[in-house]
Amino acid sequence: MTAQNRPPHAPLIRLARLGLLMGAGLPTAAAAQTYATGYSAGWWSQLGLTNAIEVAATGGSGITIGLVDTGVVATQADVTGRVSTASACAARSFTCPRGYTDDNGHGTATAAIAAGAVTSTGAGMAGVAPKATILSEKALNVSGSGTDTDVANGIIKAADAGAKVINLSLTYLPTNTIVTAVNYAAAKGAVLVFAGGNSATALNGGANSTGLSAAALTHLAFAGSVSGANKLSSFSNTPGAGYAVAGTTRVSYASLWLMAPGESIVAPGIQYGANALAYWSGTSMAAPMVSGAVALLEATWPVLYRNGTATAVLFASATDMGAKGVDNTYGNGLMNLTAAFKPLGALSVVGANGKSLPVTGLTGSLITGGALGALGGIGAQLASYTAFDGYQRNFTVNLSGLIAKQPVSASSITAALPAPTVTTSSTKFADGGNLMLAYTDGPGLDAIGRLQPLARPLAPRDGYAGHDGWALAYSQGGLTLAAGQGFPASASFAQALWGNGTPVADAAGTLGVSTALTGLAQGGGFAALGTDLDGWVGRALGGARLALSWSGTPGADALSRRDLAGGDWNPWRGPVLTGGGMDRQADAVAAGLNWTLRPGLTASLTASLLDERDGLLGSRYRGGGVLGLGDHNDTVSLGLATAVTLWRGGSLMLDASLARTGAADSAHGVVSGIGPLLARSYGLALAQRDAVTEGDSLTAVWRRPLRVVAGTATLLMTGVDEQGYATTAPTRVSLRPDGAETDMALSYAAPVATGRWGQTLSVNGSLELRQDAGNIRGLTDQVARVGLNFRF
């Protein structure tokens, strides 16, 4: 049995063009990462092969392509300098007086198509992998024929010499000798590419081939030919309905079949001169294009060689031709290297637990909080991150879009003087007690404690938290009780600590410094208690108050349940705890002690604890997602404030706090741990009662809000080793923001009308300026707010 290599037509030589072909040279730019195509530009374009792909694949450098053929002329201009010294004569049925040197022309042509390169002395054509190493195993004689023993020995010798791809531009005859050699080479990891044949019939006459190994089924490819117009060549075989069988497993020839250009391909024609070029046609020309493509893929991604999936990538990325899907005429379709060099399947990243996490979207995974700024350090690392496709190929992707910034106008400076319309009912009792019920349906804080922009469209029942907002407060003598939902919790705690309705309480609530952690857990339920201390403690401190507070930020599920409940507003419905259980995003508890140092001078000490699930200092992220800063974070803070009376109705408050977040590990995502972190906040407020008219208040604020000043996150940066295995290296990234927010605000509230039965209508407004808003350098936010308060 002989295996013959016979192009269907004699090479179409156009001698009138021979001088032009020989005179083409290599552009100077080729030395600067430019791969010249020369007369190969047409079929490069058909295959989607670009200079960018060649640069990414380094032209197939480091890959050896074995060619079992008629040999190669090592001095030919397109292959010179890259033919392996391990090349040899593999023939058994004939002798090779000149070793592996080609005396037919076919072998040199296929070698150049697979791995040729335009040189300064060449004739101007280039192969698919112009920097791959060519290994020639001469197994066909001067007439292009040889026995199956010759071909099998060539396959074995090529595999033993380290060829990762073996090109066989000859007819596939599945004899026992050939099948054994194919199995041997496949076991060593080599991909074998056979020409589909030039008899315009089905491969192997439509018969199945048996005896192949399971490895062989994943390392085989067959090439059919198309014209320059991507039409099936008249001479090309088709895959037909046959199968390649390995034990009980069988795969169709069609699923192993690719189409590539095979008509009038310019390649060396050594029979017409040492560096002459000729036009060649046949599936023999299509096969080395597939072999070169395998070389490019394996040079770029060694994992494909290790896993034996280079051909699978080519099959999956091929452009469909003919009937939809794999068919018996075109197989998988036309090879498409542009698609082959793009991710196939879902991208994933390696998480902290070593498992793959799918990257299902590139935005909205983490919403930054003000204390952390824009997380620029993490964003810079994520902008060039390694992800893996369905074939474990590494791609550099920009994941910085996983970080979404909060709108800069989403946090009001004057949290105690919000813009929405507030309706207030107040009742005084004979014993001196006072009960107040407040309700709002205007814009306010959303589900994670941020103030919604006024321009945002709202549902009729939206309140401070995007839902019904209400607050119930009772005061009598030195006792203050407050509870509610949706209102800023820090304001109620300030009233409980400094005394209900006092100017310094308003100033403390406006600053929100000592209560910074409380401000990060609001939008849901809250409760506050304040009382004067009697007995020896109060006397020792010259008069003192104790305040306690709790507040929570509801989880998305809790908010949804309240929305679905519908119905009219009911203030007795209670905080989120009564709805669906303990499903909040954050909880904060605070305790404060206020005492009088001397008349007109008062101080307070506040301790707070913030417990966040899937959040860090106000940042929120998807639990179990790609990007998170710890599953559970606890932060403690100490705040110290001093208030001094300057003149009648005027007071000045100085407030500062320091917060520490404990270290936390993450079992998933690309951040393996954070902290510990240190954050600080400080500011001052000047408040004046009866500034313009009786009952009004004027407040000026200067503040540096909560900002991380020290701390890091450990980010897992992923790469691959020489064999394509994923490797991760922990990289510490600073969490200190690049900007330092400075807030300035002027707010005013005054009664404008009084009803017959004691109803009052008040207006409140503020002008606010934030520099480095959200702790983002260069970002400025200017806001004007106006609201109404109706008391009856």
Side-chain angles (χ1 to χ4, degrees), residues 190-292:
V191 171
L192 299 101
V193 182
F194 281 89
N198 305 321
S199 303
T201 186
L203 177 67
N204 200 27
N208 298 337
S209 60
T210 59
L212 292 168
S213 65
L217 295 184
T218 60
H219 288 76
L220 267 179
F222 299 92
S225 171
V226 295
S227 67
N230 290 336
K231 301 297 183 183
L232 180 69
S233 298
S234 60
F235 54 80
S236 179
N237 281 356
T238 59
Y243 286 85
V245 181
T248 58
T249 302
R250 66 177 193 170
V251 297
S252 66
Y253 290 140
S255 66
L256 304 175
W257 191 277
L258 281 169
M259 306 302 295
E263 293 187 27
S264 299
I265 304 300
V266 175
I270 62 166
Q271 59 274 44
Y272 303 102
N275 288 320
L277 293 184
Y279 289 94
W280 294 79
S281 294
T283 57
S284 287
M285 285 59 253
M289 295 182 189
V290 177
S291 296

Side-chain angles (χ1 to χ4, degrees), residues 203-464:
L203 177 67
N204 200 27
N208 298 337
S209 60
T210 59
L212 292 168
S213 65
L217 295 184
T218 60
H219 288 76
L220 267 179
F222 299 92
S225 171
V226 295
S227 67
N230 290 336
K231 301 297 183 183
L232 180 69
S233 298
S234 60
F235 54 80
S236 179
N237 281 356
T238 59
Y243 286 85
V245 181
T248 58
T249 302
R250 66 177 193 170
V251 297
S252 66
Y253 290 140
S255 66
L256 304 175
W257 191 277
L258 281 169
M259 306 302 295
E263 293 187 27
S264 299
I265 304 300
V266 175
I270 62 166
Q271 59 274 44
Y272 303 102
N275 288 320
L277 293 184
Y279 289 94
W280 294 79
S281 294
T283 57
S284 287
M285 285 59 253
M289 295 182 189
V290 177
S291 296
V294 172
L296 292 181
L297 287 170
E298 291 187 346
T300 309
W301 295 287
V303 67
L304 298 180
Y305 172 74
R306 175 168 58 83
N307 292 346
T309 51
T311 55
V313 169
L314 291 176
F315 298 152
S317 59
T319 301
D320 194 23
M321 302 178 71
K324 185 176 179 59
V326 177
D327 63 73
N328 295 344
T329 301
Y330 297 98
N332 290 285
L334 179 65
M335 187 167 67
N336 185 338
L337 289 177
T338 295
F341 274 76
K342 292 180 180 179
L344 298 172
L347 282 173
S348 63
V349 296
V350 178
N353 56 6
K355 296 182 179 180
S356 294
L357 285 170
V359 181
T360 55
L362 296 181
T363 58
S365 179
L366 184 150
I367 302 176
T368 63
L372 294 169
L375 288 174
I378 291 180
Q381 296 290 337
L382 292 179
S384 182
Y385 203 78
T386 300
F388 298 87
D389 74 350
Y391 292 90
Q392 299 180 33
R393 296 185 298 167
N394 57 296
F395 289 87
T396 299
V397 295
N398 183 354
L399 296 184
S400 62
L402 290 171
I403 301 174
K405 301 175 185 177
Q406 289 186 14
V408 297
S409 59
S411 297
S412 174
I413 299 172
T414 54
L417 295 173
T421 300
V422 178
T423 301
T424 304
S425 174
S426 181
T427 303
K428 292 185 178 181
F429 300 101
D431 60 0
N434 182 73
L435 179 67
M436 184 198 71
L437 176 64
Y439 165 70
T440 180
D441 59 359
L445 298 173
D446 67 10
I448 63 172
R450 303 173 302 165
L451 191 74
Q452 299 168 352
L454 293 175
R456 176 178 171 180
L458 298 166
R461 297 194 308 114
D462 278 355
Y464 277 102

Side-chain angles (χ1 to χ4, degrees), residues 408-409 767-771 773 779-785:
V408 297
S409 59
L767 297 175
E768 307 172 10
L769 170 66
R770 297 199 297 168
Q771 295 177 331
L779 208 56
T780 300
D781 176 29
Q782 300 173 357
V783 180
R785 304 177 189 274

Side-chain angles (χ1 to χ4, degrees), residues 7-28:
H9 314 295
L12 301 177
I13 310 303
R14 301 188 180 184
L15 296 178
R17 286 192 173 183
L18 189 57
L20 289 175
L21 293 172
M22 291 178 65
L26 179 66
T28 304

Side-chain angles (χ1 to χ4, degrees), residues 81-166:
R82 287 178 302 103
V83 178
S84 171
T85 57
S87 299
C89 176
R92 290 289 182 266
S93 65
F94 62 91
T95 60
C96 305
R98 300 174 60 199
Y100 65 84
T101 299
D102 186 9
D103 46 18
N104 173 279
H106 186 270
T108 304
T110 57
I113 294 170
V118 175
T119 67
S120 58
T121 59
M125 65 82 58
V128 176
K131 288 195 175 181
T133 299
I134 297 168
L135 173 73
S136 176
E137 295 294 343
K138 187 172 182 177
L140 303 178
N141 60 23
V142 65
S143 64
S145 63
T147 67
D148 60 348
T149 302
D150 297 328
V151 173
N153 193 49
I155 294 173
I156 292 170
K157 284 176 67 65
D160 286 341
K164 292 185 175 180
V165 190
I166 300 175

